[in-house]
Amino acid sequence: MERSNYKSEIPIFEFHGGIHPKEHKLESNQTPIQNIPLPKQLIINLKGQAGNRSLPVVNVGDKVLKGQVIAESDGIFSTFQHAPSSGTVVAIEKRPIAHPSGLDDLCVVIETDGKDQWCDLKPKSNVIDLERNEILAHICESGIVGLGGASFPTHIKLKKESGIHTLIINAAECEPYITCDDRLLQEHAVEVLKGADIISQLYDDLNIIIGIEDNKPNAIDALVAARKELGMDAVKIAVVPTKYPSGGEKQLIQLLTGKEVPHGGLPADLGLVMHNVGTCFAIYEAFEFGMPLISRVVTLTGEACQKPGNYKVPFGAPVEHLMTFCDAQNPGVLVMGGPMMGFELPNPSVGIVKATNCIIMAAPKELKHDHLALPCIRCGACMDACPASLLPQQLYWHAKADEFEKAEEYDLFDCIECGACAYVCPSDIPLVQYYRYAKSTIRNQKVEKTKADKARLRHEARQERLERVKREKAEKHRKAAEARRKAAEAAGEDDAKKAAVAAALARVKAKKAQQDDEPASADNKADNSTTDNKDSDA
């Protein structure tokens, strides 16, 4: 491809490794962005972004307008979802989703009415008059996420204010086949810079750097012209050499600043925040026109695609609808994303999501090869290509042997799954698949451990509660017994007193009776003496 002669306006550093795969950009970046015909049904995945599932606020049978909220953020780690077109909600159920597992997930299915009628929009073009929380709330309520592929909720990424001094706009778009950001800049560079300016309102004295590969000369020219038109002379355009994966967040930061994001850290730890070209454009539309994020530019390409190019596609549009529009004839494989970090779609009926930047309708042997994986020959090529400076060979051995703790010791989770190691592997070992397997297993184990820990804590809490109730009952019984004993003792003392009084009374009574008997006895003795005297005289 043609390379730009524009010199970078800031020093450019290097990152370790990287590769130069065939770019396949020219097939899709030569024509303007076009609209795709509206499909009969839109299948909106409620977990179509990073984080948690959005919470539906519509019911089956509801009429909805374009841009109307159909699902809200859970308030923790998700975002809003909106109707991409007007129509009727015909189902809220599990459907196949855009995921390599082919699993089902909860989707809102809208049958379009063909009117494409908007709801009432609420623009907030007076950004300078808004409080920081109002700006973040509008971004959240507009459903905006990172459109570079990760789809991380933008309002969360922008939440930290202190210590942030630089905004990096990621326009590198390093992966083969994908050209949606290139075309967006060629046609809407002014709007992209306006979106970046809105982000700058969230911070004090924010520097703005645009990182772009030198294989996008027309986009670079458009940025230079837009900067001049808007008078944003402080914005720096950093042109980096074309090398995959220069568009990775950590790699682009290293290229533009010479600094590495610390292990387990975030760009914010270096005072940086990074956003994609498409994200800036979506922020501009949300504030200038009040339009929520309901569609995006998607690259449709591949040898089986008869109409390669970039198209504005509503979220939820089934991939099979895109195939029909492009006259794709029996593609050998459907890939969502690029050939390096994308994944094969197991079902063409899935609807596109906010992270969908490309659909490759590949010919049978365009992306796949017939080579079987051979044993590792320990050549070290994977180590030389790894942009994260890892040891892919060691990670492979430990992942293959289910030695997950050792894999973590070799910084498994620093792997960005760029596929550079597998690309250069002479044995054709699908290395990234092993890393993904290890990561998912470790995450599942941690989830299970967390569940087990919670269950153990609940059990211990229950046992403690039962023991406490038992102790309380025992104490209650003890106190009751003590009360009864004291009552009995008190009753016994009363009986003793009564007995003593009764005995005393009996003694008094007996003594009195005795005293009464003594005079009678004396009288009897006197009478007997008189009688005896009379008898003796006689």
Side-chain angles (χ1 to χ4, degrees), residues 453-467:
D453 289 343
K454 288 182 178 179
R456 176 178 55 79
L457 291 174
R458 287 197 301 269
H459 175 72
E460 291 177 352
R462 181 175 181 276
Q463 291 300 111
E464 174 60 27
R465 186 170 66 253
L466 293 175
E467 289 295 326

Side-chain angles (χ1 to χ4, degrees), residues 28-69:
S28 60
N29 72 349
Q30 301 301 301
T31 55
I33 298 170
Q34 302 175 54
N35 289 322
I36 207 83
L38 193 64
K40 293 180 180 179
Q41 279 195 347
L42 297 167
I43 306 166
I44 299 98
N45 177 13
L46 294 183
K47 200 180 180 305
Q49 70 279 319
N52 302 326
R53 186 182 294 108
S54 301
L55 307 176
V57 293
V58 292
N59 297 305
V60 175
D62 287 356
K63 302 285 186 180
V64 294
L65 296 175
K66 185 177 182 178
Q68 179 181 328
V69 174

